[in-house]
Each structure stands twice: as structure tokens, then as C-alpha cells.
Amino acid sequence: MADPEKQEGAGPLGRMQGFVAFLSAVVGVVAAIQAVGSKADADRSAQAAEESKHELDRRANDRADRDTNAKYDAIAYEAVVKVLEIDRSKTAGTVAEKRERAVMALVAATASEPMKVALFDVVSTGNNVTPAVKEDATKAANFLREVGSLANDSAAAATSKESTKPVSPNDSPTSLRDYRVVVFYCQAPDQKIVGVQRQAAERLVQEMRAIGASSALQMTWDIKELPEVLNASPGYGIRTNQIRFNPAEGEEAPSVALKSLLEGSNTLKSGNVQLERQIVRKQTPNYLSVFLCGLST
């Protein structure tokens, strides 16, 4: 028979050794848990530091953008002041008009939207400004007030998926109720093309005002001209036939309904005119804009 005192773990010493081993295991587990917790804390701290850096960078970029905009606004302002000070008695009319149009192009290309509106308004009321330039400045200011700048829409613009199934104008969905639709035609160097686009816009609006669905839905229709001074500036360049809408304002369904309504008109069907749908950011509740800028002679 074996000696009980010699059996492993049988005596007080053996029990003490077992207890010490247990404590060591517990300490190891606690240390491991603390290590994991410390790593998680470090990761969270690193993430918070990275987010703070991104926020600081964003604010710095915003400040830089504001400073840049202020610089360009000041340049445009100075140019307008100088063109208003032209001495007509010493400057040929054609030369003065060229300078005025150059300044208009500068304003359209560089100034921020609020400054564009203000400076176009100033040009439109200038005592010595060429009448044709004053008229274009008025149109440009009114366009920006009503539709807003299209320059910022280029990043968001995308042709939407759309149905090509023809729909009769009399089947216009109720999503267009109380909508105002403005049909724009574009200024262009070729006056024959401008005439074609303007006449198409006038016929289209006249036809739409006459149909029963438009009256029943209390839709309103207008015609306006997109000045070339804006359309030639960066971010514009509208040379196609399109409908512009903002999905964030719930205009997806109304834009599809409007596309079907217009493409079913005699005016557009006679020329087989198709309308693209372009996404924009401008918030214009119950308002859709149509551009007939892709028509030719």
C-alpha cells in the first residue's frame, strides 16, 4: 500500500502549490483582459484623434474656400466698378460693349452666386451701360434668383433611369398638381437656332396650357431665356433638351410624369424630341425646369 504522505497533492504543501497555481492562472486571465481593454481604449483614442484631424482639415478647407470666394468676389466687383466708369464720350460704343460683356463673363465665371446676382443687378441699372447688355444682365440676375446656379449641379447631375413608354398628355399623373413649369430656351450666337428654340418653347407652353389635364391639375407654365453669359460659364454648357429635378424634394415622380406629358405633345412629337432627366441640388418646391437647348434648324 502506498504512503499517503507521498501521494501528489495529498499533504498541506501540495494543496498550497495547487492554490498558488490557481491564483497564477487567475492573474494571467485578468492581465489578458486588461490588455484587451487597453488595446480597445487605444483604438478608440486613435479613431477619435483621426476624426478630430478630419474635422480640423474640413474647417481649414472651408476657410480656404471662403477666402478664395471673397478674393474672386472682390476681383469681379472691381471689374464692374471700372466698366461702369467708362467715359462714353471717349470710347466707341462697340468697344464699350465688348468691355461690358467681358466683365459680365468674368462675373459669371468667378463670383459666388449671391455676388453674381448683386453685380448683374448693378450692371442692369448702370446709366452708361449698353441697353443690350443691361437686358442680358437683368435676365441673368432673374435666372439666378429663380433657378439658382447650375454650376454646382454638375457633380450631382446624372441621367436617371426612365420609362420610354409614351403617355398621352390627358393621362398626366396627379403628382404634377400645383406645379409650376418653366420652359427655357438658350441664347446662342446663331440667331436662327435661338429662333427655333424660342418658337418651340412658345408652341409647347401654348399647347400645355390648352390641355385639360394641365387645367385640372392647376399647373402653371412660363417661358424664359437662359442667357449665354451664364450658359457659357463653367458648370453650365446646357446644349441638350432636358428636365431638371431634385429627388430630395420628392420630384422623381413629377419629373417622370412631366417627361411623358411633354414628349406626348404635338410640339415635341413632330420633331421626335426626347428629354433627358438631370438631377440637381437646388431646392425649388413645386417647380420644374425644362431646357430646350438641343434643337437645331
Side-chain angles (χ1 to χ4, degrees):
M1 183 173 181
D3 188 347
E5 293 296 327
K6 293 182 179 181
Q7 291 180 2
E8 186 177 357
L13 181 60
R15 288 194 295 272
M16 180 62 70
Q17 290 174 337
F19 181 68
V20 170
F22 172 75
L23 285 179
S24 297
V26 170
V27 170
V29 170
V30 171
I33 293 173
Q34 289 178 338
V36 171
S38 298
K39 184 178 184 305
D41 290 341
D43 290 343
R44 284 193 292 270
S45 297
Q47 182 179 357
E50 185 68 18
E51 290 174 353
S52 297
K53 181 178 181 300
H54 287 161
E55 178 63 17
L56 290 174
D57 289 344
R58 185 189 66 78
R59 292 182 181 182
N61 290 335
D62 288 345
R63 285 194 296 272
D65 288 343
R66 287 194 297 270
D67 291 343
T68 300
N69 289 339
K71 177 182 177 181
Y72 284 126
D73 283 350
I75 292 173
Y77 171 81
E78 290 296 334
V80 168
V81 169
K82 288 181 179 179
V83 82
L84 293 177
E85 293 174 347
I86 292 177
D87 187 344
R88 290 284 176 164
S89 65
K90 299 179 180 180
T91 308
T94 55
V95 174
E97 181 173 350
K98 287 180 180 179
R99 291 180 182 175
E100 292 163 356
R101 293 198 178 279
V103 168
M104 290 269 286
L106 175 68
V107 171
T110 63
S112 61
E113 184 174 336
M115 183 61 80
K116 279 188 179 75
V117 175
L119 293 180
F120 284 142
D121 279 338
V122 169
V123 172
S124 70
T125 57
N127 292 330
N128 296 325
V129 177
T130 305
V133 175
K134 292 175 68 172
E135 182 180 358
D136 286 347
T138 299
K139 291 177 181 178
N142 290 339
F143 180 92
L144 291 172
R145 268 190 286 265
E146 184 169 314
V147 180
S149 175
L150 304 182
N152 294 328
D153 291 332
S154 57
T159 301
S160 301
K161 295 180 179 178
E162 52 198 2
S163 171
T164 56
K165 179 181 178 182
V167 177
S168 168
N170 291 324
D171 294 330
S172 176
T174 57
S175 60
L176 285 169
R177 182 176 297 280
D178 296 325
Y179 260 79
R180 181 188 178 209
V181 179
V182 177
V183 180
F184 289 92
Y185 63 92
C186 295
Q187 280 186 345
D190 189 336
Q191 291 304 307
K192 290 183 179 180
I193 293 178
V194 176
V196 168
Q197 294 176 355
R198 180 176 60 249
Q199 290 172 12
E202 290 171 349
R203 289 197 305 270
L204 181 61
V205 168
Q206 184 178 8
E207 182 179 350
M208 290 298 102
R209 285 172 176 167
I211 64 174
S214 179
S215 299
L217 295 173
Q218 297 182 335
M219 297 175 65
T220 56
W221 300 83
D222 289 303
I223 304 170
K224 292 185 181 294
E225 184 179 59
L226 172 58
E228 181 64 14
V229 66
L230 290 179
N231 205 18
S233 62
Y236 283 75
I238 301 176
R239 307 298 177 191
T240 60
N241 307 307
Q242 57 185 250
I243 297 170
R244 295 205 164 203
F245 69 102
N246 186 344
E249 292 291 298
E251 295 174 355
E252 179 80 33
S255 70
V256 173
L258 182 62
K259 171 181 168 66
S260 299
L261 179 66
L262 296 180
E263 289 181 352
S265 68
N266 293 328
T267 301
L268 297 192
K269 281 196 301 185
S270 63
N272 195 28
V273 177
Q274 301 293 310
L275 297 170
E276 301 173 356
R277 293 191 306 124
Q278 296 289 335
I279 294 174
V280 298
R281 296 172 178 170
K282 184 71 175 181
Q283 296 182 353
T284 51
N286 284 58
Y287 175 100
L288 289 171
S289 53
V290 179
F291 293 86
L292 297 182
C293 300
L295 305 179
S296 59
T297 55

